[in-house]
């Protein structure tokens, strides 16, 4: 399912330049020329779909300062314990280590700079659709519903809530400009079968050690696993390391067969995450990484923190 021109997906918005998953970050990504903007989605205590990468919110907000007594026994702060009114009062910061307070990417937007806020999925949909109307472009959505099994254990059907919100704004079928992604194959299959969703689904593939879902990502990455994915999904979103399989004796990156195998199963391949300020071993520049993945591996799309760099590369 290879395409001539890969799609550029703004990873958490323009997260290389502004605090992730804020409306400002989404607007910057739109202006940079991205084809799709990603939204990670979780639920608040009062069932509002919130755009945030993690089920806990103490690595991107000042929640520990604002609500110091609301941590759980594991000393983490979870979005599901807060109403949307409480969540919207928080200040969003550049991602940091919740134990040390140090930013993950020190050279990015100043840790305590700006007055950024969390946003709802509906707010971001309205932003993208409004910009599509005013610019004449057709930028798409790329939501990921996070930890659906964890939400289900707490009585919340995150997948169904996401489909309802997308349908409210006109996204119901494969021709609509949206992809829905998830690490949990059971949850994705449920969207396709029980929920009868016609949207394009993407099976995310990570490492088993991450414990994103109760599944074996190594098995999903085999030819047999990929053929099974093709029964319910449009494509896969593998972590970059599953395509760049170590280094050759001369120090250059080796390519795995994953892209070729996925294409043989009829699947598109949208790897994550390409970062100009965190390049993989053996890759000297972000353009070299684009050349490797697009020109040699033949990917169909890519998640990047700096979508402007991919847009410029593809224009050249």
């Amino acid at each position: 399912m290879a395409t001539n021109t890969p799609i550029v997906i703004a990873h958490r918005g323009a997260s290389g330049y502004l605090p992730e998953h804020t409306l400002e970050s989404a607007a910057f990504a739109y202006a940079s020329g991205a084809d799709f903007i990603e939204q990670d989605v979780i639920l608040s205590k009062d069932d509002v779909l919130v755009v945030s990468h993690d089920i806990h919110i103490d690595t991107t907000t000042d929640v520990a300062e604002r609500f110091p007594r609301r941590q759980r026994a594991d000393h983490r702060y979870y979005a599901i314990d807060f109403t949307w009114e409480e969540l919207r009062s928080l200040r969003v910061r550049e991602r940091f280590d919740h134990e040390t307070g140090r930013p993950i990417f020190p050279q990015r937007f100043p840790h305590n700079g700006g007055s950024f806020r969390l946003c709802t999925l509906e707010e971001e949909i309205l932003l993208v659709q409004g910009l599509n109307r005013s610019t004449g472009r057709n930028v798409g959505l790329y939501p990921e519903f996070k930890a659906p099994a964890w939400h289900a254990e707490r009585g919340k059907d995150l997948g169904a809530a996401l489909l309802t919100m997308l349908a409210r704004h006109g996204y119901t079928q494969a021709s609509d400009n949206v992809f829905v992604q998830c690490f949990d194959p059971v949850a994705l299959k449920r969207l396709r079968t029980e929920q009868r969703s016609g949207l394009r689904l993407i099976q995310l593939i990570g490492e088993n050690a991450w414990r994103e879902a109760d599944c074996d990502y190594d098995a999903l990455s085999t030819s047999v696993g990929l053929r099974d994915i093709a029964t319910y999904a449009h494509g896969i979103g593998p972590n970059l390391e599953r395509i760049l399989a170590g280094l050759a004796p001369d120090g250059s990156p080796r390519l795995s067969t994953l892209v070729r195998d996925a294409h043989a199963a009829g699947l598109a391949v949208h790897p994550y995450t390409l970062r100009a300020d965190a390049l993989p071993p053996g890759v000297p520049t972000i353009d070299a990484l684009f050349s490797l993945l697009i020109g040699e591996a033949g990917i169909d799309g890519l998640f990047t923190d700096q979508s402007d760099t991919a847009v410029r590369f593809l224009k050249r």
Side-chain angles (χ1 to χ4, degrees), residues 170-287:
Y171 302 96
T172 59
Q173 53 194 359
S175 58
D176 295 325
N177 209 22
V178 62
F179 290 95
V180 173
Q181 57 178 334
C182 189
F183 278 102
D184 190 334
V186 174
L188 274 181
K189 290 178 181 178
R190 182 168 176 263
L191 259 59
R192 181 67 76 219
T193 56
E194 294 181 30
Q195 302 287 342
R196 298 188 179 279
S197 174
L199 298 175
R200 291 175 292 180
L201 307 181
I202 299 293
Q203 174 64 65
L204 291 173
I205 297 177
E207 299 298 331
N208 292 336
W210 300 351
R211 302 180 67 85
E212 289 284 350
D214 186 16
C215 67
D216 184 349
Y217 293 116
D218 294 335
L220 285 178
S221 301
T222 64
S223 295
V224 173
L226 293 168
R227 286 195 297 271
D228 179 63
I229 291 173
T231 64
Y232 62 87
H234 171 85
I236 60 171
N239 57 310
L240 198 54
E241 292 75 13
R242 287 192 176 271
I243 297 177
L244 303 181
L247 299 177
D250 65 358
S252 62
R254 277 194 174 117
L255 293 175
S256 73
T257 64
L258 180 60
V259 177
R260 183 184 66 197
D261 295 342
H263 286 165
L267 295 167
V269 183
H270 301 165
Y272 63 91
T273 305
L274 284 69
R275 296 182 169 104
D277 51 357
L279 294 166
V283 181
T285 66
I286 190 65
D287 278 2

Side-chain angles (χ1 to χ4, degrees), residues 62-104:
D62 62 350
V63 65
E65 300 165 27
R66 293 291 310 281
F67 299 99
R69 296 178 179 82
R70 299 280 290 277
Q71 60 184 331
R72 291 194 179 191
D74 62 358
H75 305 293
R76 304 302 302 273
Y77 293 80
Y78 290 79
I80 205 170
D81 295 333
F82 295 84
T83 65
W84 170 238
E85 183 177 359
E86 292 171 325
L87 291 173
R88 75 188 309 170
S89 72
L90 301 176
R91 183 178 172 186
V92 175
R93 296 169 169 170
E94 185 66 35
R95 178 170 288 273
F96 60 95
D97 186 305
H98 73 281
E99 294 181 345
T100 66
R102 296 174 181 169
I104 303 300

Side-chain angles (χ1 to χ4, degrees), residues 8 286 290 302 304 306-315:
V8 176
I286 190 65
F290 293 144
L302 56 91
T304 176
Q306 295 97 356
S307 51
D308 59 320
T309 62
V311 171
R312 284 197 299 270
F313 176 86
L314 290 171
K315 284 182 178 179

